[in-house]
Amino acid sequence: MSAETSVPRPRESDVDISDSALFQGMLSEAEFAFAFFDGDGRVQRVNDVFCGAVVNVPEERLVGRQPVEVLTADLSQIITHAVQAVIETDAPVTEGRVRVRSSEGDTRHWSLSFSPVHDDSGELRAVALVGMDVTESRQTEEALRRSEERYRSLVEAQSQLVWITSPTGSVVEDAPQWRAITGQGLEEYLANGWLEVVHPEERQQTEEAWREALRGRTMFEWNYRVRTRASGYRHFEVRAVPIIRHGRVVEWVGANTDVTPQREAEEMRGRLTDQLGAAALRTARLQGATAMLAEALTVEQVVQVIIDVGRTALAADRSAVALLDTDRAALKLINGEGIPEASGASGEEIPLSSSSVMTMAVNSRRPVFAESPDSLRAQLLEAGGDEEVLGNYLASSDERAWVGLPLLAAGRALGALRFSFTRPQKISQEDGVFLEALAGQCALAVERATLFEREHRTAETLQRSLLPDRLPVVKGLELAQRFRSGSRHVQVGGDWYDAFVLQDGRVAAVVGDVMGKGVKAAAGMGRIRNAMRALALTNPPPAAVLTGLDRVFEATEEEEQVTTLAYMVVEPVTGEGTLALAGHPPPVLVSPQGTAILCDGEPGTPLGWPTSRRQFRFVVPPGHTAVLYSDGLVENRKRGLDAGLADLCSVVTEAPPEVVKSPHMLLDFLVDRMLSGYEQDDDVTALAIHVPPATKSD
């Protein structure tokens, strides 16, 4: 066994690195550009890549010459300066990148490096140039740069602030745009400063939502307000996503978008929507109030509508209405319990010289708004109010806001409205316009109701003067009448009745109806009644009287005026009679047994219509009762005339014997039962002619 323990020598290569052929082959086959320069900066050797791709000059023109002699100015300057720098410093120089145009006409980018070449003794023998084609990497860098610029431009155009955090949510990179808006320093921002500028009301919820997203590794979407450099707040929407590699979150990338303009636009739209809604509501309330006021005929009704509107549309706790008495220079309170804040007021009368919300409104012809006790105190004291009275009122009252509105018609003051609230009340400009419009409608309604009541009193007086004070008392005949107004407010119409004794001892009885309401109808009724009396006393037969009335009607009444009547002449004791109808419902004859028979005589036409008037025999036997009536007894909006006549006959059969025997009780029974269950919309007039049964003394 050999004891040789030495390590064998490595096999030596048979390639001689000093071989010039080897060096020449390397230069010609390499993909890099090579060039060597001597100590004077002249070209010594080059390869094909340098000649063809970098300088585009043949080798024979380059060797032995300086770059400035054969190359372009910009390229020769770069190479010359770099070679000179290596010679002077004996150190490598990286000139950087140069752009050259190839023989194919396209632009190529080359990275040039210059290095010193020494001999065995360390002396500088040459300067070596190595060039690398970096066109592809340059294009890649350029594409990346453009992509970054586009992304940055897009972010800036969208008012986005991009930020990056660690996997645990800690801020690790600067966000200059964020700091520019918030005014934070870098250290403050990196120390979780983003949360410090979130609005305090939203800070806790924002932090909890962010922590939840970190734990779940889910997208974080939120919105919050951020305090800006100017100490104001702007609205931001934030979205952040986790960047996951190999199943692990490596970082979070988020972007904040400034949505303040959108939020402000939404708030503006919301305010406009609210304003439009409020305006529509005020308009609807005003229309509703106008409709209710239009139906109110009397001052009492108008006042009730005003109180209801104050309670519903204004949510007022108390309402008061007062009308102006110009003779006494005072306001007369229509409802309520006086004006407690007014000095000098006593009960229902408030002198205009006193200071109150109502008197201020009337005296100034302008609305008075007191949104708080302090506002009321200031306004009333300025108007000369008594400070002690006012102080006592404010200390004891639960009212905290007041509205006073003048009632004006054609510039003339009619009175004032007062609404009060048990809480402070902000009166906006729109509310003020609504209240003024409401006061205008109330003023018109008050004026209309005042005129109506005045006309009503006049017509009522006229009707009382035209109707008989009492019915005649005739032996062998009993008369009774009933009148019921078609409305508890409109009590004056054209219904009328009359009964009088003729020269021959017979009794004339009539029930008429002049269509319409008010003074005009009452006046027409008076003219027809007087003419009928004159004609009856002169020529009593019913046909003759109606013929004469036709001539009177044609001469004195308007064509559109419709007047009907039933006229009869009856003999006391025997009940022998004659009847004529002018478009009027037929009389009903009630027997002692409670049966009802409708007169089947010719109904005729209303007065003034061309016709030949006829009369017919109509007997009221002893013990019987004839009832003349207006159409309001048998006809209304829900019941036609035929049905009403049938109901009348049916009701008569239900009357007790004692009722049938008494004309007064019979009329009460018929009116009450015929109107029961119906809304009365017309006057009801009834006249009963009862012939008592014969007795032994007769």
Side-chain angles (χ1 to χ4, degrees), residues 527-529 531-532 535 541-559 561-565 567 580-583 602-614:
R527 288 191 297 270
I528 297 300
R529 174 180 176 270
M532 200 218 71
L535 291 169
V545 171
L546 293 189
T547 301
L549 286 177
D550 284 336
R551 292 194 296 268
V552 172
F553 195 92
E554 185 177 357
T556 62
E557 305 303 316
E558 298 178 358
E559 292 183 0
Q561 180 65 62
V562 178
T563 300
T564 67
L565 60 82
Y567 170 54
L581 299 175
E602 184 178 345
T605 59
L607 294 180
W609 292 27
T611 185
S612 176
R613 297 298 178 180
R614 299 179 62 184

mmCIF file of all heavy atoms in Angstrom, residues 527-529 531-532 535 541-559 561-565 567 580-583 602-614:
data_model
loop_
_atom_site.group_PDB
_atom_site.id
_atom_site.type_symbol
_atom_site.label_atom_id
_atom_site.label_comp_id
_atom_site.label_asym_id
_atom_site.label_seq_id
_atom_site.Cartn_x
_atom_site.Cartn_y
_atom_site.Cartn_z
ATOM 1 N N ARG A 527 -143.820 90.243 -2.122
ATOM 2 C CA ARG A 527 -144.596 90.802 -3.229
ATOM 3 C C ARG A 527 -145.713 89.842 -3.654
ATOM 4 O O ARG A 527 -146.864 90.251 -3.890
ATOM 5 C CB ARG A 527 -143.673 91.099 -4.415
ATOM 6 C CG ARG A 527 -142.760 92.286 -4.206
ATOM 7 C CD ARG A 527 -142.061 92.693 -5.493
ATOM 8 N NE ARG A 527 -141.172 91.645 -5.996
ATOM 9 C CZ ARG A 527 -139.900 91.539 -5.677
ATOM 10 N NH1 ARG A 527 -139.358 92.408 -4.820
ATOM 11 N NH2 ARG A 527 -139.156 90.568 -6.182
ATOM 12 N N ILE A 528 -145.384 88.542 -3.776
ATOM 13 C CA ILE A 528 -146.392 87.563 -4.192
ATOM 14 C C ILE A 528 -147.490 87.448 -3.131
ATOM 15 O O ILE A 528 -148.696 87.371 -3.448
ATOM 16 C CB ILE A 528 -145.731 86.205 -4.453
ATOM 17 C CG1 ILE A 528 -144.727 86.319 -5.604
ATOM 18 C CG2 ILE A 528 -146.774 85.148 -4.770
ATOM 19 C CD1 ILE A 528 -145.328 86.772 -6.906
ATOM 20 N N ARG A 529 -147.118 87.443 -1.859
ATOM 21 C CA ARG A 529 -148.117 87.324 -0.772
ATOM 22 C C ARG A 529 -149.086 88.492 -0.781
ATOM 23 O O ARG A 529 -150.318 88.315 -0.679
ATOM 24 C CB ARG A 529 -147.395 87.225 0.567
ATOM 25 C CG ARG A 529 -148.338 87.233 1.773
ATOM 26 C CD ARG A 529 -147.553 87.123 3.062
ATOM 27 N NE ARG A 529 -148.436 87.236 4.212
ATOM 28 C CZ ARG A 529 -148.751 88.390 4.819
ATOM 29 N NH1 ARG A 529 -148.252 89.522 4.356
ATOM 30 N NH2 ARG A 529 -149.563 88.398 5.876
ATOM 31 N N ALA A 531 -149.778 90.513 -3.303
ATOM 32 C CA ALA A 531 -150.606 90.494 -4.505
ATOM 33 C C ALA A 531 -151.712 89.448 -4.381
ATOM 34 O O ALA A 531 -152.862 89.667 -4.805
ATOM 35 C CB ALA A 531 -149.737 90.209 -5.723
ATOM 36 N N MET A 532 -151.354 88.270 -3.793
ATOM 37 C CA MET A 532 -152.355 87.221 -3.653
ATOM 38 C C MET A 532 -153.483 87.640 -2.715
ATOM 39 O O MET A 532 -154.674 87.383 -2.970
ATOM 40 C CB MET A 532 -151.683 85.945 -3.132
ATOM 41 C CG MET A 532 -152.498 84.703 -3.404
ATOM 42 S SD MET A 532 -152.432 83.515 -2.062
ATOM 43 C CE MET A 532 -153.392 84.332 -0.822
ATOM 44 N N LEU A 535 -155.747 90.043 -4.642
ATOM 45 C CA LEU A 535 -156.560 89.357 -5.645
ATOM 46 C C LEU A 535 -157.630 88.503 -4.982
ATOM 47 O O LEU A 535 -158.788 88.430 -5.449
ATOM 48 C CB LEU A 535 -155.669 88.488 -6.536
ATOM 49 C CG LEU A 535 -154.717 89.250 -7.473
ATOM 50 C CD1 LEU A 535 -153.717 88.288 -8.105
ATOM 51 C CD2 LEU A 535 -155.505 89.982 -8.546
ATOM 52 N N PRO A 541 -162.101 83.061 -6.094
ATOM 53 C CA PRO A 541 -161.916 81.710 -6.652
ATOM 54 C C PRO A 541 -160.444 81.434 -6.959
ATOM 55 O O PRO A 541 -159.743 82.278 -7.539
ATOM 56 C CB PRO A 541 -162.759 81.723 -7.925
ATOM 57 C CG PRO A 541 -163.815 82.723 -7.651
ATOM 58 C CD PRO A 541 -163.163 83.794 -6.836
ATOM 59 N N PRO A 542 -159.924 80.265 -6.576
ATOM 60 C CA PRO A 542 -158.496 79.965 -6.756
ATOM 61 C C PRO A 542 -157.997 80.113 -8.183
ATOM 62 O O PRO A 542 -156.897 80.633 -8.409
ATOM 63 C CB PRO A 542 -158.387 78.524 -6.272
ATOM 64 C CG PRO A 542 -159.476 78.387 -5.260
ATOM 65 C CD PRO A 542 -160.610 79.197 -5.782
ATOM 66 N N ALA A 543 -158.760 79.676 -9.189
ATOM 67 C CA ALA A 543 -158.292 79.783 -10.568
ATOM 68 C C ALA A 543 -158.105 81.243 -10.956
ATOM 69 O O ALA A 543 -157.144 81.604 -11.645
ATOM 70 C CB ALA A 543 -159.279 79.090 -11.507
ATOM 71 N N ALA A 544 -159.054 82.108 -10.522
ATOM 72 C CA ALA A 544 -158.952 83.527 -10.839
ATOM 73 C C ALA A 544 -157.751 84.149 -10.146
ATOM 74 O O ALA A 544 -157.043 84.990 -10.716
ATOM 75 C CB ALA A 544 -160.242 84.238 -10.437
ATOM 76 N N VAL A 545 -157.512 83.750 -8.904
ATOM 77 C CA VAL A 545 -156.368 84.308 -8.164
ATOM 78 C C VAL A 545 -155.052 83.919 -8.836
ATOM 79 O O VAL A 545 -154.154 84.754 -9.016
ATOM 80 C CB VAL A 545 -156.407 83.844 -6.696
ATOM 81 C CG1 VAL A 545 -155.116 84.244 -5.984
ATOM 82 C CG2 VAL A 545 -157.613 84.436 -5.974
ATOM 83 N N LEU A 546 -154.912 82.652 -9.242
ATOM 84 C CA LEU A 546 -153.658 82.224 -9.879
ATOM 85 C C LEU A 546 -153.463 82.913 -11.223
ATOM 86 O O LEU A 546 -152.342 83.265 -11.601
ATOM 87 C CB LEU A 546 -153.647 80.708 -10.068
ATOM 88 C CG LEU A 546 -153.595 79.854 -8.793
ATOM 89 C CD1 LEU A 546 -153.374 78.385 -9.144
ATOM 90 C CD2 LEU A 546 -152.519 80.327 -7.842
ATOM 91 N N THR A 547 -154.551 83.126 -11.968
ATOM 92 C CA THR A 547 -154.430 83.831 -13.246
ATOM 93 C C THR A 547 -153.943 85.252 -13.027
ATOM 94 O O THR A 547 -153.075 85.760 -13.755
ATOM 95 C CB THR A 547 -155.782 83.838 -13.968
ATOM 96 O OG1 THR A 547 -156.203 82.487 -14.191
ATOM 97 C CG2 THR A 547 -155.684 84.562 -15.300
ATOM 98 N N GLY A 548 -154.500 85.912 -12.010
ATOM 99 C CA GLY A 548 -154.036 87.260 -11.695
ATOM 100 C C GLY A 548 -152.584 87.274 -11.238
ATOM 101 O O GLY A 548 -151.810 88.172 -11.586
ATOM 102 N N LEU A 549 -152.183 86.261 -10.460
ATOM 103 C CA LEU A 549 -150.786 86.189 -10.009
ATOM 104 C C LEU A 549 -149.830 85.978 -11.171
ATOM 105 O O LEU A 549 -148.696 86.474 -11.158
ATOM 106 C CB LEU A 549 -150.632 85.057 -8.990
ATOM 107 C CG LEU A 549 -151.199 85.323 -7.592
ATOM 108 C CD1 LEU A 549 -151.039 84.087 -6.713
ATOM 109 C CD2 LEU A 549 -150.508 86.526 -6.935
ATOM 110 N N ASP A 550 -150.260 85.241 -12.198
ATOM 111 C CA ASP A 550 -149.412 85.067 -13.380
ATOM 112 C C ASP A 550 -149.093 86.410 -14.012
ATOM 113 O O ASP A 550 -147.946 86.676 -14.424
ATOM 114 C CB ASP A 550 -150.104 84.163 -14.393
ATOM 115 C CG ASP A 550 -150.049 82.689 -13.994
ATOM 116 O OD1 ASP A 550 -149.129 82.331 -13.237
ATOM 117 O OD2 ASP A 550 -150.916 81.915 -14.437
ATOM 118 N N ARG A 551 -150.124 87.285 -14.099
ATOM 119 C CA ARG A 551 -149.898 88.602 -14.701
ATOM 120 C C ARG A 551 -148.986 89.442 -13.820
ATOM 121 O O ARG A 551 -148.083 90.134 -14.307
ATOM 122 C CB ARG A 551 -151.242 89.296 -14.924
ATOM 123 C CG ARG A 551 -152.113 88.640 -15.989
ATOM 124 C CD ARG A 551 -153.259 89.548 -16.390
ATOM 125 N NE ARG A 551 -154.166 89.789 -15.268
ATOM 126 C CZ ARG A 551 -155.256 89.058 -15.011
ATOM 127 N NH1 ARG A 551 -155.549 88.020 -15.790
ATOM 128 N NH2 ARG A 551 -156.044 89.356 -13.999
ATOM 129 N N VAL A 552 -149.192 89.388 -12.515
ATOM 130 C CA VAL A 552 -148.326 90.139 -11.589
ATOM 131 C C VAL A 552 -146.893 89.628 -11.668
ATOM 132 O O VAL A 552 -145.926 90.408 -11.702
ATOM 133 C CB VAL A 552 -148.867 90.025 -10.150
ATOM 134 C CG1 VAL A 552 -147.871 90.631 -9.161
ATOM 135 C CG2 VAL A 552 -150.217 90.705 -10.033
ATOM 136 N N PHE A 553 -146.745 88.318 -11.700
ATOM 137 C CA PHE A 553 -145.408 87.717 -11.736
ATOM 138 C C PHE A 553 -144.666 88.143 -12.996
ATOM 139 O O PHE A 553 -143.481 88.489 -12.948
ATOM 140 C CB PHE A 553 -145.528 86.187 -11.685
ATOM 141 C CG PHE A 553 -144.248 85.494 -11.354
ATOM 142 C CD1 PHE A 553 -143.921 85.186 -10.041
ATOM 143 C CD2 PHE A 553 -143.349 85.147 -12.346
ATOM 144 C CE1 PHE A 553 -142.733 84.550 -9.734
ATOM 145 C CE2 PHE A 553 -142.164 84.511 -12.052
ATOM 146 C CZ PHE A 553 -141.846 84.209 -10.738
ATOM 147 N N GLU A 554 -145.379 88.116 -14.129
ATOM 148 C CA GLU A 554 -144.743 88.500 -15.395
ATOM 149 C C GLU A 554 -144.308 89.946 -15.380
ATOM 150 O O GLU A 554 -143.289 90.312 -15.976
ATOM 151 C CB GLU A 554 -145.716 88.244 -16.538
ATOM 152 C CG GLU A 554 -145.118 88.503 -17.913
ATOM 153 C CD GLU A 554 -146.088 88.176 -19.022
ATOM 154 O OE1 GLU A 554 -147.196 87.691 -18.726
ATOM 155 O OE2 GLU A 554 -145.737 88.393 -20.199
ATOM 156 N N ALA A 555 -145.013 90.788 -14.669
ATOM 157 C CA ALA A 555 -144.708 92.221 -14.646
ATOM 158 C C ALA A 555 -143.637 92.581 -13.635
ATOM 159 O O ALA A 555 -142.906 93.560 -13.824
ATOM 160 C CB ALA A 555 -145.989 93.007 -14.361
ATOM 161 N N THR A 556 -143.513 91.820 -12.543
ATOM 162 C CA THR A 556 -142.631 92.253 -11.444
ATOM 163 C C THR A 556 -141.433 91.345 -11.188
ATOM 164 O O THR A 556 -140.435 91.792 -10.621
ATOM 165 C CB THR A 556 -143.435 92.355 -10.144
ATOM 166 O OG1 THR A 556 -143.966 91.057 -9.811
ATOM 167 C CG2 THR A 556 -144.575 93.344 -10.278
ATOM 168 N N GLU A 557 -141.511 90.066 -11.590
ATOM 169 C CA GLU A 557 -140.453 89.131 -11.217
ATOM 170 C C GLU A 557 -139.572 88.783 -12.418
ATOM 171 O O GLU A 557 -139.970 88.942 -13.571
ATOM 172 C CB GLU A 557 -141.062 87.845 -10.640
ATOM 173 C CG GLU A 557 -142.005 88.082 -9.477
ATOM 174 C CD GLU A 557 -141.346 88.842 -8.340
ATOM 175 O OE1 GLU A 557 -140.184 88.502 -8.008
ATOM 176 O OE2 GLU A 557 -141.987 89.759 -7.777
ATOM 177 N N GLU A 558 -138.383 88.321 -12.126
ATOM 178 C CA GLU A 558 -137.451 87.917 -13.170
ATOM 179 C C GLU A 558 -137.849 86.564 -13.737
ATOM 180 O O GLU A 558 -138.471 85.734 -13.058
ATOM 181 C CB GLU A 558 -136.033 87.835 -12.605
ATOM 182 C CG GLU A 558 -135.524 89.170 -12.082
ATOM 183 C CD GLU A 558 -134.135 89.043 -11.480
ATOM 184 O OE1 GLU A 558 -133.605 87.904 -11.451
ATOM 185 O OE2 GLU A 558 -133.591 90.073 -11.047
ATOM 186 N N GLU A 559 -137.477 86.330 -15.002
ATOM 187 C CA GLU A 559 -137.889 85.108 -15.683
ATOM 188 C C GLU A 559 -137.346 83.857 -14.997
ATOM 189 O O GLU A 559 -137.999 82.816 -14.968
ATOM 190 C CB GLU A 559 -137.429 85.137 -17.141
ATOM 191 C CG GLU A 559 -138.126 86.186 -17.998
ATOM 192 C CD GLU A 559 -137.677 86.123 -19.447
ATOM 193 O OE1 GLU A 559 -136.825 85.257 -19.760
ATOM 194 O OE2 GLU A 559 -138.170 86.926 -20.256
ATOM 195 N N GLN A 561 -136.840 83.394 -11.915
ATOM 196 C CA GLN A 561 -137.388 83.156 -10.587
ATOM 197 C C GLN A 561 -138.526 82.133 -10.660
ATOM 198 O O GLN A 561 -139.457 82.280 -11.448
ATOM 199 C CB GLN A 561 -137.925 84.468 -9.994
ATOM 200 C CG GLN A 561 -138.520 84.319 -8.605
ATOM 201 C CD GLN A 561 -137.462 83.926 -7.592
ATOM 202 O OE1 GLN A 561 -136.511 84.660 -7.370
ATOM 203 N NE2 GLN A 561 -137.616 82.752 -7.011
ATOM 204 N N VAL A 562 -138.397 81.084 -9.837
ATOM 205 C CA VAL A 562 -139.412 80.028 -9.814
ATOM 206 C C VAL A 562 -140.194 80.137 -8.511
ATOM 207 O O VAL A 562 -139.602 80.150 -7.423
ATOM 208 C CB VAL A 562 -138.781 78.634 -9.944
ATOM 209 C CG1 VAL A 562 -139.859 77.550 -9.867
ATOM 210 C CG2 VAL A 562 -138.010 78.529 -11.249
ATOM 211 N N THR A 563 -141.529 80.211 -8.648
ATOM 212 C CA THR A 563 -142.396 80.316 -7.477
ATOM 213 C C THR A 563 -143.557 79.348 -7.637
ATOM 214 O O THR A 563 -144.225 79.313 -8.676
ATOM 215 C CB THR A 563 -142.937 81.744 -7.317
ATOM 216 O OG1 THR A 563 -141.838 82.646 -7.164
ATOM 217 C CG2 THR A 563 -143.849 81.841 -6.111
ATOM 218 N N THR A 564 -143.787 78.547 -6.613
ATOM 219 C CA THR A 564 -144.913 77.606 -6.604
ATOM 220 C C THR A 564 -145.793 77.898 -5.396
ATOM 221 O O THR A 564 -145.336 78.490 -4.404
ATOM 222 C CB THR A 564 -144.413 76.156 -6.551
ATOM 223 O OG1 THR A 564 -143.777 75.928 -5.286
ATOM 224 C CG2 THR A 564 -143.430 75.855 -7.673
ATOM 225 N N LEU A 565 -147.059 77.453 -5.454
ATOM 226 C CA LEU A 565 -147.944 77.606 -4.299
ATOM 227 C C LEU A 565 -149.139 76.676 -4.426
ATOM 228 O O LEU A 565 -149.488 76.210 -5.514
ATOM 229 C CB LEU A 565 -148.401 79.052 -4.121
ATOM 230 C CG LEU A 565 -149.184 79.753 -5.230
ATOM 231 C CD1 LEU A 565 -150.661 79.404 -5.176
ATOM 232 C CD2 LEU A 565 -149.016 81.275 -5.101
ATOM 233 N N TYR A 567 -153.187 76.865 -3.128
ATOM 234 C CA TYR A 567 -154.143 77.843 -2.587
ATOM 235 C C TYR A 567 -155.527 77.206 -2.550
ATOM 236 O O TYR A 567 -155.988 76.629 -3.551
ATOM 237 C CB TYR A 567 -154.153 79.095 -3.468
ATOM 238 C CG TYR A 567 -155.262 80.070 -3.166
ATOM 239 C CD1 TYR A 567 -155.461 80.568 -1.880
ATOM 240 C CD2 TYR A 567 -156.130 80.489 -4.173
ATOM 241 C CE1 TYR A 567 -156.482 81.474 -1.606
ATOM 242 C CE2 TYR A 567 -157.154 81.394 -3.911
ATOM 243 C CZ TYR A 567 -157.321 81.877 -2.626
ATOM 244 O OH TYR A 567 -158.343 82.770 -2.347
ATOM 245 N N ALA A 580 -156.492 75.066 -5.950
ATOM 246 C CA ALA A 580 -155.740 75.246 -7.192
ATOM 247 C C ALA A 580 -154.248 75.128 -6.870
ATOM 248 O O ALA A 580 -153.784 75.625 -5.839
ATOM 249 C CB ALA A 580 -156.049 76.595 -7.830
ATOM 250 N N LEU A 581 -153.498 74.484 -7.751
ATOM 251 C CA LEU A 581 -152.058 74.281 -7.558
ATOM 252 C C LEU A 581 -151.276 74.961 -8.675
ATOM 253 O O LEU A 581 -151.668 74.895 -9.846
ATOM 254 C CB LEU A 581 -151.721 72.783 -7.547
ATOM 255 C CG LEU A 581 -152.381 71.934 -6.453
ATOM 256 C CD1 LEU A 581 -152.036 70.457 -6.656
ATOM 257 C CD2 LEU A 581 -151.946 72.411 -5.072
ATOM 258 N N ALA A 582 -150.184 75.590 -8.291
ATOM 259 C CA ALA A 582 -149.277 76.196 -9.273
ATOM 260 C C ALA A 582 -147.912 75.528 -9.119
ATOM 261 O O ALA A 582 -146.994 76.066 -8.498
ATOM 262 C CB ALA A 582 -149.180 77.704 -9.057
ATOM 263 N N GLY A 583 -147.798 74.313 -9.664
ATOM 264 C CA GLY A 583 -146.530 73.584 -9.606
ATOM 265 C C GLY A 583 -146.131 73.151 -8.220
ATOM 266 O O GLY A 583 -144.944 72.904 -7.968
ATOM 267 N N GLU A 602 -155.031 68.501 -10.678
ATOM 268 C CA GLU A 602 -153.990 68.877 -11.641
ATOM 269 C C GLU A 602 -152.914 69.719 -10.948
ATOM 270 O O GLU A 602 -153.229 70.732 -10.316
ATOM 271 C CB GLU A 602 -154.622 69.663 -12.787
ATOM 272 C CG GLU A 602 -153.633 70.021 -13.879
ATOM 273 C CD GLU A 602 -154.311 70.761 -15.023
ATOM 274 O OE1 GLU A 602 -155.566 70.749 -15.096
ATOM 275 O OE2 GLU A 602 -153.585 71.353 -15.834
ATOM 276 N N PRO A 603 -151.606 69.336 -11.041
ATOM 277 C CA PRO A 603 -150.560 70.071 -10.310
ATOM 278 C C PRO A 603 -150.290 71.459 -10.866
ATOM 279 O O PRO A 603 -149.811 72.334 -10.151
ATOM 280 C CB PRO A 603 -149.335 69.167 -10.453
ATOM 281 C CG PRO A 603 -149.586 68.381 -11.698
ATOM 282 C CD PRO A 603 -151.068 68.160 -11.755
ATOM 283 N N GLY A 604 -150.566 71.692 -12.134
ATOM 284 C CA GLY A 604 -150.331 73.001 -12.716
ATOM 285 C C GLY A 604 -148.851 73.309 -12.882
ATOM 286 O O GLY A 604 -147.971 72.462 -12.689
ATOM 287 N N THR A 605 -148.570 74.550 -13.254
ATOM 288 C CA THR A 605 -147.189 75.008 -13.481
ATOM 289 C C THR A 605 -146.870 76.150 -12.535
ATOM 290 O O THR A 605 -147.767 76.809 -11.995
ATOM 291 C CB THR A 605 -147.013 75.481 -14.929
ATOM 292 O OG1 THR A 605 -147.935 76.555 -15.166
ATOM 293 C CG2 THR A 605 -147.274 74.352 -15.908
ATOM 294 N N PRO A 606 -145.561 76.422 -12.298
ATOM 295 C CA PRO A 606 -145.203 77.549 -11.428
ATOM 296 C C PRO A 606 -145.759 78.862 -11.976
ATOM 297 O O PRO A 606 -146.095 78.988 -13.161
ATOM 298 C CB PRO A 606 -143.681 77.527 -11.449
ATOM 299 C CG PRO A 606 -143.321 76.120 -11.788
ATOM 300 C CD PRO A 606 -144.388 75.645 -12.723
ATOM 301 N N LEU A 607 -145.815 79.859 -11.121
ATOM 302 C CA LEU A 607 -146.346 81.159 -11.504
ATOM 303 C C LEU A 607 -145.516 81.764 -12.638
ATOM 304 O O LEU A 607 -144.289 81.616 -12.671
ATOM 305 C CB LEU A 607 -146.353 82.106 -10.305
ATOM 306 C CG LEU A 607 -147.290 81.748 -9.145
ATOM 307 C CD1 LEU A 607 -147.181 82.792 -8.035
ATOM 308 C CD2 LEU A 607 -148.718 81.614 -9.622
ATOM 309 N N GLY A 608 -146.230 82.461 -13.539
ATOM 310 C CA GLY A 608 -145.568 83.139 -14.633
ATOM 311 C C GLY A 608 -145.414 82.292 -15.870
ATOM 312 O O GLY A 608 -145.017 82.800 -16.917
ATOM 313 N N TRP A 609 -145.693 81.002 -15.787
ATOM 314 C CA TRP A 609 -145.606 80.138 -16.964
ATOM 315 C C TRP A 609 -146.945 80.175 -17.695
ATOM 316 O O TRP A 609 -148.014 80.011 -17.071
ATOM 317 C CB TRP A 609 -145.292 78.703 -16.557
ATOM 318 C CG TRP A 609 -143.902 78.539 -15.979
ATOM 319 C CD1 TRP A 609 -143.176 79.477 -15.354
ATOM 320 C CD2 TRP A 609 -143.141 77.341 -15.979
ATOM 321 N NE1 TRP A 609 -141.978 78.973 -14.941
ATOM 322 C CE2 TRP A 609 -141.924 77.645 -15.316
ATOM 323 C CE3 TRP A 609 -143.354 76.056 -16.458
ATOM 324 C CZ2 TRP A 609 -140.930 76.701 -15.132
ATOM 325 C CZ3 TRP A 609 -142.356 75.115 -16.276
ATOM 326 C CH2 TRP A 609 -141.149 75.436 -15.623
ATOM 327 N N PRO A 610 -146.954 80.377 -18.998
ATOM 328 C CA PRO A 610 -148.226 80.475 -19.740
ATOM 329 C C PRO A 610 -149.040 79.199 -19.573
ATOM 330 O O PRO A 610 -148.591 78.108 -19.920
ATOM 331 C CB PRO A 610 -147.784 80.686 -21.182
ATOM 332 C CG PRO A 610 -146.386 81.195 -21.086
ATOM 333 C CD PRO A 610 -145.796 80.571 -19.857
ATOM 334 N N THR A 611 -150.260 79.295 -19.033
ATOM 335 C CA THR A 611 -151.125 78.137 -18.825
ATOM 336 C C THR A 611 -152.545 78.613 -18.529
ATOM 337 O O THR A 611 -152.755 79.788 -18.186
ATOM 338 C CB THR A 611 -150.617 77.271 -17.663
ATOM 339 O OG1 THR A 611 -151.424 76.099 -17.570
ATOM 340 C CG2 THR A 611 -150.674 78.029 -16.354
ATOM 341 N N SER A 612 -153.482 77.730 -18.670
ATOM 342 C CA SER A 612 -154.877 78.019 -18.308
ATOM 343 C C SER A 612 -155.120 77.443 -16.921
ATOM 344 O O SER A 612 -155.093 76.215 -16.727
ATOM 345 C CB SER A 612 -155.846 77.392 -19.324
ATOM 346 O OG SER A 612 -157.176 77.597 -18.930
ATOM 347 N N ARG A 613 -155.286 78.326 -15.950
ATOM 348 C CA ARG A 613 -155.404 77.886 -14.569
ATOM 349 C C ARG A 613 -156.751 77.216 -14.318
ATOM 350 O O ARG A 613 -157.798 77.679 -14.779
ATOM 351 C CB ARG A 613 -155.234 79.082 -13.626
ATOM 352 C CG ARG A 613 -153.870 79.738 -13.691
ATOM 353 C CD ARG A 613 -152.773 78.770 -13.280
ATOM 354 N NE ARG A 613 -151.439 79.375 -13.380
ATOM 355 C CZ ARG A 613 -150.327 78.731 -13.080
ATOM 356 N NH1 ARG A 613 -150.388 77.460 -12.711
ATOM 357 N NH2 ARG A 613 -149.164 79.347 -13.195
ATOM 358 N N ARG A 614 -156.699 76.105 -13.558
ATOM 359 C CA ARG A 614 -157.910 75.373 -13.243
ATOM 360 C C ARG A 614 -158.006 75.150 -11.741
ATOM 361 O O ARG A 614 -156.987 75.104 -11.050
ATOM 362 C CB ARG A 614 -157.919 74.022 -13.967
ATOM 363 C CG ARG A 614 -157.884 74.136 -15.483
ATOM 364 C CD ARG A 614 -157.869 72.782 -16.131
ATOM 365 N NE ARG A 614 -159.092 72.042 -15.782
ATOM 366 C CZ ARG A 614 -159.316 70.774 -16.145
ATOM 367 N NH1 ARG A 614 -158.396 70.111 -16.857
ATOM 368 N NH2 ARG A 614 -160.435 70.167 -15.798
#
